């Protein structure tokens, strides 16, 4: 979500029984991303991929939370190459070597699942592969920092320091978000920060971590369609997103791939 939206809101604390709703919604979101994997290849349109995600969510008793969300009319976001996030599926045909993020958000029995992964049409350039690897590892380091008593600044620092050590940049204009019965709730989860700063994490908090990492400069701009965010310098961008719940000892990731398809390359 965009970073300007609501600071200073109370961070909801969820009950133990709420975790089961999030497990089910998160698993369905991850299964949708598993399902779409073999269809991502040169020649397919992003509109076809979106339709498959749409049909999958409905077939499993969920509704795509993006449909009608602030005027958005698609069931997924598909962001190719220099598109940072919120790419709108349509007539665009994937070409050999394109890298893309697919982000889905099924609403299942009142709970939101939200996850995204990178995919490749064919074989990526070395630069693209390294960018995707670094972005995935940055997300995992952010997740590893989540535990009661830690702060969101610890999470942001874990992500930012790893990304910058690898000479890529973290997008500042979009952040992760609280999630649950609401799609976008408190807190804002920044993917940069300083240790010890920001809200203290407590068991019962549900939020996404979804770093966007650019090969070049961090600045983005939103196109005239009002959604598509691109890198200003047209450098490649990558993103992975997981949804976590803080537990007594650390966190539970609700959106791991049941098929083990964590990051490209995915076995054929
Ligand atoms: N799934 C995105 C997120 O991670 C939000 C997409 S909102 C849309 O927060 F309207 F662009 F679909
Ligand atoms: Co999200
Ligand atoms: Co998302």
């Amino acid at each position: 979500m965009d970073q300007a939206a609501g600071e200073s809101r109370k961070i909801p604390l969820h009950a133990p029984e709420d975790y089961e709703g999030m497990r089910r919604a998160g698993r369905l979101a991850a299964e949708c991303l598993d399902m779409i994997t073999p269809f991502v290849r040169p020649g397919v349109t992003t509109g076809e991929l979106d339709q498959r995600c749409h049909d999958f969510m409905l077939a499993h008793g969920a509704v795509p939370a993006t449909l009608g969300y602030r005027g958005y009319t698609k069931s997924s976001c598909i962001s190719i190459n220099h598109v940072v996030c919120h790419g709108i599926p349509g007539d665009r045909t994937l070409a050999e070597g394109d890298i893309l993020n697919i982000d889905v958000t099924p609403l299942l029995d009142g709970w939101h699942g939200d996850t995204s992964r990178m995919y490749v049409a064919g074989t990526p350039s070395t630069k693209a592969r390294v960018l995707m690897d670094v972005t995935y590892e940055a997300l995992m380091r952010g997740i590893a920092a989540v535990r009661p008593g830690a702060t969101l600044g610890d999470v942001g620092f874990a992500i930012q320091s790893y990304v910058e050590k690898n000479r890529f940049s973290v997008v500042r204009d979009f952040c992760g978000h609280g999630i649950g019965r609401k799609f976008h709730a408190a807190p804002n989860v920044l993917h940069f920060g300083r240790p010890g700063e920001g809200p203290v994490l407590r068991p019962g908090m549900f939020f996404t971590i979804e770093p966007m990492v650019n090969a070049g400069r961090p600045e983005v701009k939103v196109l005239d369609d009002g959604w598509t965010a691109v890198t200003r310098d047209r450098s490649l961008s990558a993103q992975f997103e997981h949804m976590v719940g803080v537990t007594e000892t650390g966190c539970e990731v609700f959106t791991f791939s049941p098929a083990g398809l964590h990051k490209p390359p995915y076995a054929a």
Side-chain angles (χ1 to χ4, degrees):
M1 68 180 293
D2 62 273
Q3 237 230 83
E7 260 318 309
S8 81
R9 297 165 296 178
K10 263 239 170 67
I11 301 174
L13 295 180
H14 296 87
E17 57 268 27
D18 296 342
Y19 284 70
E20 190 51 32
M22 291 297 273
R23 272 177 210 128
R24 295 181 63 243
R27 187 185 316 119
L28 183 63
E31 285 169 348
C32 185
L33 295 185
D34 289 347
M35 175 281 298
I36 205 67
T37 307
F39 298 105
V40 179
R41 41 196 315 157
V44 75
T45 68
T46 53
E48 289 171 56
L49 297 174
D50 181 71
Q51 187 65 49
R52 286 188 186 278
C53 290
H54 175 93
D55 294 347
F56 182 89
M57 287 185 260
L58 263 58
H60 291 83
V63 175
T66 53
L67 272 185
Y69 177 80
R70 299 190 187 187
Y72 196 81
T73 60
K74 298 293 174 180
S75 299
S76 62
C77 296
I78 303 184
S79 305
I80 306 174
N81 296 337
H82 72 296
V83 179
V84 172
C85 64
H86 302 166
I88 304 172
D91 296 336
R92 166 75 146 87
T93 299
L94 296 186
E96 170 64 35
D98 281 344
I99 63 167
L100 55 148
N101 175 278
I102 303 180
D103 189 337
V104 294
T105 54
L107 171 60
L108 180 68
D109 297 334
W111 296 99
H112 289 85
D114 189 4
T115 185
S116 79
R117 289 178 211 154
M118 296 303 294
Y119 297 82
V120 185
T123 309
S125 67
T126 300
K127 178 95 174 180
R129 185 176 45 72
V130 172
L131 176 66
M132 293 188 291
D133 283 348
V134 167
T135 306
Y136 180 80
E137 176 64 19
L139 169 59
M140 297 316 288
R141 287 179 181 223
I143 291 172
V146 176
R147 57 183 164 71
T151 70
L152 283 178
D154 297 339
V155 176
F157 177 78
I159 294 167
Q160 180 184 14
S161 56
Y162 182 74
V163 167
E164 292 179 354
K165 193 173 71 187
N166 284 279
R167 285 177 279 105
F168 295 132
S169 65
V170 172
V171 169
R172 309 296 205 270
D173 301 67
F174 298 94
C175 56
H177 49 92
I179 190 164
R181 292 194 174 276
K182 285 178 65 176
F183 188 173
H184 291 116
N188 283 346
V189 179
L190 308 188
H191 304 112
F192 56 94
R194 283 196 278 237
E197 294 189 346
V200 177
L201 301 178
R202 300 283 173 229
M205 291 180 179
F206 296 161
F207 54 86
T208 73
I209 307 177
E210 46 182 302
M212 286 140 273
V213 174
N214 296 349
R217 304 243 349 130
E219 291 80 14
V220 309
K221 66 175 181 195
V222 175
L223 300 186
D224 287 340
D225 61 24
W227 286 103
T228 311
V230 300
T231 56
R232 281 193 175 266
D233 63 6
R234 296 189 68 86
S235 65
L236 286 180
S237 188
Q239 178 182 28
F240 290 84
E241 174 176 22
H242 275 310
M243 200 169 70
V244 304
V246 183
T247 63
E248 296 297 330
T249 54
C251 74
E252 175 174 350
V253 179
F254 296 125
T255 44
F256 277 137
S257 163
L261 304 175
H262 302 304
K263 65 170 178 131
Y266 304 119

